[in-house]
Amino acid sequence: MRQIFVRAIGGVALAALVMGGAAACKQDEGGSGSTEAGKVCDLKIGFFGALSAADSGLVLPGKQAADMAVKQYNAKHADCKVSIQPYDSQGKPELAGGLATSAVGDTKVVAMVGPAFSGESETANPIFQQAGLPVITQSATRPSLADNSWTIFHRGVGNDFSQGPAAAAYIKGLNAQKVFVVDDQSAYGAGLADEVKKALGPLVTATDKATDNQQDFSAIVTKVTSSGATALFYGGYTEEASPFLKQLRAAGYKGTFVGGDGIYDANMLSVTGKADVEGAVATCPCAPATTAKGTFVQDFQAEYNAAPGVYADVAYDLTNIFLEAIGEGKSTRADIQAFLTSYNKAGSATGVTYKWDAKGELDPTQVRVWAYVAKDGAWAPDKEIPKA
């Protein structure tokens, strides 16, 4: 289960691996992967997240954007290229430990975009911290990720303290007098649902819990349909949200289904089906990628013959921050970590000014939360919603 499995990494074994990696890194510098001028080439930026499985729709647009950023960089630096190294977690914390250990063992990996989900971040980030590998997540929103004294941790979007109250404000705007709240017990889903419940207060008349990989929601559906709730908030991912919504509609539930960014992906639309998903709402600490700044949208369309999806513009900007560091000659994890400490620039796609506090949280003034409505088989931007 996403939030339950945590792979314990033996401290001695990891320390040996990290020390070995550090030694290997020093040998690599100026070695076969370097130019004669001493500039280190063939460095890698990791990309960590669900690149396959049911929730990959939340991550693949970002991976495409990261690939595009590197392709554009390499076109300008043909003599000293960078590559993306993917780490496919399938969104499962039980896979994150092994992937993180593999990443820190590759001395060419000097930075990481991700992990994309909160549960896998809880498992992977301690390993990255011990290895000094700087990370910027494009979408992991659990607030407590910033409370672990991980100096390598940076978040490129707002956390659940922003998204939760915003989702509640949206629900209040529906004039719902009774709200049912369900979460999937994951680090992400439960945390976001808790923030929504706090902000809704007495409007929450009932709650329930789903489980990882649950497909039969008949018991919860019965509770919802008999509750009188005219709005339902679901904290979790598409894999469970999609069958849940289909079964709610089959049972005649007419209320508004609201979720977080965990359902804001193309799979939620296609798997649920147009008839059942119509009118569902997803909140996200992200502005519409389809209206991003600069040439990002046109470039993405030209590269993939498709409009950019969820978090694509964010991942593009975060990858470019790492590329900027490498372009300035920062060739070690420590160099790039130091580069991030004083970073303070606007991303070319999002327009967000990226600068972080001591805990790795994005400047709150740069956080935006939007609502998207399923309409005619697509996610349509509805409106930016207040964070509190």
Side-chain angles (χ1 to χ4, degrees):
M1 297 180 183
R2 293 189 183 100
Q3 80 285 10
I4 294 176
F5 289 97
V6 178
R7 175 172 294 186
I9 304 297
V12 174
L14 180 57
L17 174 61
V18 172
M19 292 176 66
C25 186
K26 193 167 185 63
Q27 291 168 0
D28 281 348
E29 293 174 5
S32 59
S34 304
T35 66
E36 291 183 357
K39 189 174 183 180
V40 180
C41 301
D42 302 324
L43 295 175
K44 303 175 184 177
I45 298 172
F47 192 98
F48 197 115
L51 303 178
S52 65
D55 298 319
S56 60
L58 290 165
V59 182
L60 287 173
K63 170 62 165 49
Q64 290 177 308
D67 287 338
M68 187 174 79
V70 167
K71 182 178 180 180
Q72 292 171 343
Y73 176 90
N74 287 339
K76 298 176 182 176
H77 302 80
D79 62 332
C80 192
K81 293 185 177 181
V82 175
S83 63
I84 289 286
Q85 180 64 50
Y87 296 94
D88 180 10
S89 67
Q90 301 179 38
K92 299 177 179 178
E94 61 266 35
L95 298 180
L99 292 170
T101 301
S102 175
V104 302
D106 184 345
T107 58
K108 288 292 186 181
V109 177
V110 293
M112 183 70 69
V113 178
F117 294 170
S118 296
E120 61 191 15
S121 296
E122 290 181 336
T123 303
N125 281 352
I127 299 169
F128 296 146
Q129 173 67 30
Q130 190 164 355
L133 179 64
V135 304
I136 317 178
T137 179
Q138 76 276 28
S139 55
T141 58
R142 187 173 179 83
S144 61
L145 293 176
D147 296 332
N148 294 284
S149 300
W150 295 328
T151 55
I152 51 86
F153 175 75
H154 307 80
R155 197 188 323 258
V157 295
N159 62 27
D160 293 344
F161 289 156
S162 299
Q163 187 179 182
Y170 188 92
I171 292 170
K172 289 178 180 177
L174 299 173
N175 294 318
Q177 300 303 308
K178 294 182 178 180
V179 183
F180 203 110
V181 177
V182 180
D183 72 71
D184 66 354
Q185 305 183 63
S186 70
Y188 158 72
L192 178 58
D194 285 345
E195 297 308 315
V196 172
K197 286 186 285 188
K198 289 178 188 175
L200 285 174
L203 291 180
V204 178
T205 57
T207 65
D208 209 337
K209 301 283 187 181
T211 59
D212 188 28
N213 296 322
Q214 182 172 343
Q215 296 298 296
D216 179 1
F217 286 86
S218 56
I220 301 178
V221 166
T222 298
K223 294 178 184 177
V224 174
T225 54
S226 62
S227 69
T230 57
L232 181 146
F233 181 83
Y234 183 77
Y237 296 95
T238 289
E239 183 176 11
E240 293 80 23
S242 178
F244 181 29
L245 177 54
K246 286 179 70 71
Q247 291 165 40
L248 279 169
R249 296 304 186 216
Y253 182 66
K254 304 296 185 185
T256 303
F257 187 97
V258 182
D261 50 320
I263 70 167
Y264 177 45
D265 71 286
N267 288 339
M268 184 66 189
L269 301 168
S270 61
V271 176
T272 308
K274 181 179 177 181
D276 289 332
V277 79
E278 188 78 2
V281 177
T283 61
C284 183
C286 59
T290 50
T291 60
K293 299 179 182 301
T295 63
F296 172 76
V297 177
Q298 298 94 313
D299 291 346
F300 194 97
Q301 183 74 39
E303 186 71 25
Y304 298 110
N305 194 30
V310 56
Y311 289 123
D313 52 341
V314 180
Y316 179 79
D317 279 351
L318 302 184
T319 305
N320 273 322
I321 291 172
F322 288 140
L323 290 169
E324 181 180 347
I326 293 170
E328 293 185 9
K330 316 301 183 189
S331 59
T332 69
R333 296 168 181 174
D335 286 344
I336 294 176
Q337 172 68 18
F339 180 84
L340 295 180
T341 301
S342 58
Y343 197 81
N344 184 355
K345 291 184 182 177
S348 64
T350 63
V352 167
T353 296
Y354 292 100
K355 57 180 180 179
W356 293 277
D357 66 15
K359 298 169 66 177
E361 292 284 20
L362 187 66
D363 182 342
T365 65
Q366 300 301 306
V367 173
R368 300 286 184 271
V369 183
W370 272 73
Y372 301 83
V373 177
K375 184 177 182 181
D376 298 328
W379 287 116
D382 186 6
K383 60 183 177 181
E384 184 173 354
I385 41 181
K387 293 172 286 185

